[in-house]
Amino acid sequence: MPYSVIIAKPTKECNADCSYCSAPPDGAARWTLDGFKTVINRLKGNLAPRVQWIWHGGEPMLMGPEFFRACADYASSIGLNLEFAIQTNLLAYKSSRWKSVFDDIFEGRISTSYDPYKKYRTVKNNADTYDRMFWRAMADVINDGFRPLVIGVYDEGAADKAMVMYDRAAAHGSYGFDIRYNYAYPAGRASEAGMLIGSDTYGRMLVDLYDRWISELPSFNITPLDQMLSKVAGFKSILCPWTRKCGGKFLTIDPDGSVFNCSEFSDLGDPEHRFGNILEGTVQTQAQPIEVKHYTGADFVPALAASPASRAIIGRSRNVPPDCKTCRHFQECEGGCARDSVLFERGMGGKFAYCQSWKMVFDRLKESVLTGEADKVLLRLGIDPVAARYRVSESKRVA
């Protein structure tokens, strides 16, 4: 089963101490180049022709630029076509050390994190310090010709600040950076917090952003709206949470070698969802009590794919709530994110926690496609508005 997305966490150490961090330091040692070679040698033969390899953390830039150069050189030397990318807080960015790596290794595939309400993200428990360091680094990154995706998480009290981030991006004119608006979720340091933003609040926030985005048509894109609009137009997605078929295609590897389906399941840290350990060559056959089986040869990765946790994720493509299958938005939503169903104690086949949010947004998107309001943004996304209208009309007729 060829994997097409690998999320690699070489360390969970960080130069920030954000209070809601979903992946706080876990005490595991950082990867070495030899550790990377062990991982990649075991994966070889089980990867798609093109693989998105996303460096994640913790803060991956703490590994230093030479680590990423050495990893890229080794992957190339054994004939692997890996599209390296990085999710980083950017705080350690200095042009003299990092520009060439961002250019040559990541080829501009960079995402970062910032919240305009300065509540959670801190350095030495100080939000102003994080704010100052982030925007200094961001200015250098933009001046060096990059346009990173900026991811923010929003809780119930911060939804009214969503437009602040839009304004920040718009202020850069044609160099405006893309933005992703995520719902804050209870994992890591916030694992006992419960739902942090209501479905109606999150849905209204996205609809308000969409109305402004299609009216002003700025240079930047807004996720999840761009991805959701593509789904409305009939395009497939491998991005969460708009696919129920991530099982067997995604792998996340923690600093200690533990393997999960995605970064979000890794953040939960529940042994029930662990496939095994790629550094140790073990596959988990039972979670409570934990039982593992050791492998030394080419059958290791297929055994990971056949582990109970992997099979449960793959089964999510069929195991969705019955009312999802009759929903007017099922073809676009696909039942939502399995991780979130588990996170909010609804089980692997349970209802997606932000179902109501998606219904609100998909209703608005489809309306805008039918009326022609979305034509300009559809064209910019490379989508034929006439074809999109036909697809929405047909889906309404069939429903």
Side-chain angles (χ1 to χ4, degrees):
M1 185 173 292
Y3 290 97
S4 56
V5 178
I6 307 295
I7 302 168
K9 300 188 175 190
T11 182
K12 286 192 178 178
E13 296 174 24
C14 193
N15 48 5
D17 45 23
C18 305
S19 60
Y20 77 114
C21 179
S22 61
D26 59 1
R30 297 182 185 182
W31 283 12
T32 62
L33 177 60
D34 285 341
F36 172 79
K37 289 180 178 180
T38 297
V39 169
I40 210 70
N41 289 340
R42 286 182 168 155
L43 288 174
K44 188 179 182 184
N46 297 277
L47 298 173
R50 294 179 61 187
V51 176
Q52 296 179 52
W53 184 285
I54 304 168
W55 292 111
H56 210 288
E59 175 44 54
M61 284 180 68
L62 294 179
M63 301 298 295
E66 291 312 311
F67 172 79
F68 298 110
R69 288 191 178 280
C71 290
D73 288 345
Y74 182 74
S76 179
S77 74
I78 60 173
L80 291 179
N81 180 19
L82 305 182
E83 295 183 351
F84 288 105
I86 190 168
Q87 162 66 27
T88 167
N89 62 27
L90 288 179
L91 300 186
Y93 187 83
K94 287 183 171 49
S95 298
S96 58
R97 295 193 72 212
W98 287 100
K99 183 179 184 298
S100 61
V101 176
F102 278 35
D103 257 328
D104 302 338
I105 308 302
F106 306 138
E107 297 180 340
R109 293 182 289 266
I110 309 153
S111 57
T112 187
S113 304
Y114 182 79
D115 310 314
Y117 43 95
K118 296 198 300 184
K119 177 179 179 181
Y120 294 121
R121 300 186 193 274
T122 57
V123 171
K124 297 182 179 178
N125 295 313
N126 190 308
D128 289 332
T129 300
Y130 189 105
D131 186 71
R132 183 177 64 255
M133 292 177 66
F134 177 83
W135 286 110
R136 176 202 57 77
M138 189 67 169
D140 290 344
V141 168
I142 292 173
N143 288 337
D144 284 342
F146 305 110
R147 288 180 60 187
L149 168 68
V150 180
I151 302 169
V153 296
Y154 291 80
D155 66 9
E156 187 71 23
D160 63 344
K161 302 295 191 301
M163 290 298 178
V164 174
M165 206 64 202
Y166 184 110
D167 291 336
R168 282 269 199 178
H172 288 275
S174 60
Y175 295 96
F177 47 82
D178 294 340
I179 318 170
R180 178 163 182 158
Y181 291 88
N182 283 352
Y183 44 86
Y185 61 88
R189 289 174 176 156
S191 59
E192 304 299 323
M195 184 172 277
L196 296 171
I197 184 170
S199 292
D200 285 345
T201 305
Y202 184 57
R204 284 196 304 272
M205 183 186 89
L206 292 179
V207 169
D208 289 345
L209 286 163
Y210 182 71
D211 289 344
R212 183 177 177 187
W213 185 49
I214 63 171
S215 172
E216 298 178 359
L217 203 69
S219 63
F220 53 88
N221 286 333
I222 297 176
T223 302
L225 300 173
D226 54 352
Q227 298 297 318
M228 296 174 82
L229 196 55
S230 293
K231 291 285 296 209
V232 165
F235 288 85
K236 293 182 178 180
S237 175
I238 63 167
L239 292 178
C240 57
W242 307 285
T243 176
R244 67 184 191 278
K245 298 179 180 178
C246 55
K249 298 177 182 177
F250 286 47
L251 279 183
T252 291
I253 308 169
D254 276 0
D256 68 354
S258 292
V259 178
F260 298 85
N261 182 71
C262 62
S263 180
E264 285 73 20
F265 272 111
S266 161
D267 291 348
L268 294 183
D270 188 337
E272 181 180 352
H273 307 298
R274 184 168 52 214
F275 297 2
N277 189 298
I278 197 167
L279 294 177
E280 297 172 357
T282 58
V283 173
Q284 189 165 297
T285 58
Q286 182 174 298
Q288 299 294 342
I290 293 174
E291 292 182 2
V292 299
K293 185 175 180 180
H294 289 264
Y295 291 80
T296 58
D299 54 350
F300 169 65
V301 175
L304 274 181
S307 67
S310 178
R311 291 200 308 270
I313 292 287
I314 293 170
R316 168 72 180 186
S317 64
R318 303 177 301 276
N319 182 24
V320 295
D323 62 330
C324 284
K325 296 179 181 179
T326 59
C327 175
R328 63 189 179 277
H329 302 307
F330 180 62
Q331 294 302 313
E332 295 82 23
C333 172
E334 299 193 34
C337 176
R339 185 288 312 262
D340 279 357
S341 298
V342 171
L343 182 66
F344 292 101
E345 299 181 351
R346 300 174 184 187
M348 187 66 71
K351 178 73 84 172
F352 175 55
Y354 288 92
C355 170
Q356 179 61 28
S357 303
W358 284 173
K359 285 180 177 178
M360 294 169 66
V361 178
F362 279 126
D363 279 339
R364 176 66 184 111
L365 266 57
K366 290 179 180 181
E367 174 194 32
S368 70
V369 169
L370 290 173
T371 62
E373 290 177 277
D375 282 4
K376 290 182 180 179
V377 75
L378 284 169
L379 286 168
R380 200 182 68 190
L381 294 172
I383 299 169
D384 180 355
V386 176
R389 265 192 292 281
Y390 176 79
R391 194 263 177 187
V392 174
S393 298
E394 281 296 291
S395 66
K396 281 181 172 288
R397 183 184 64 81
V398 171

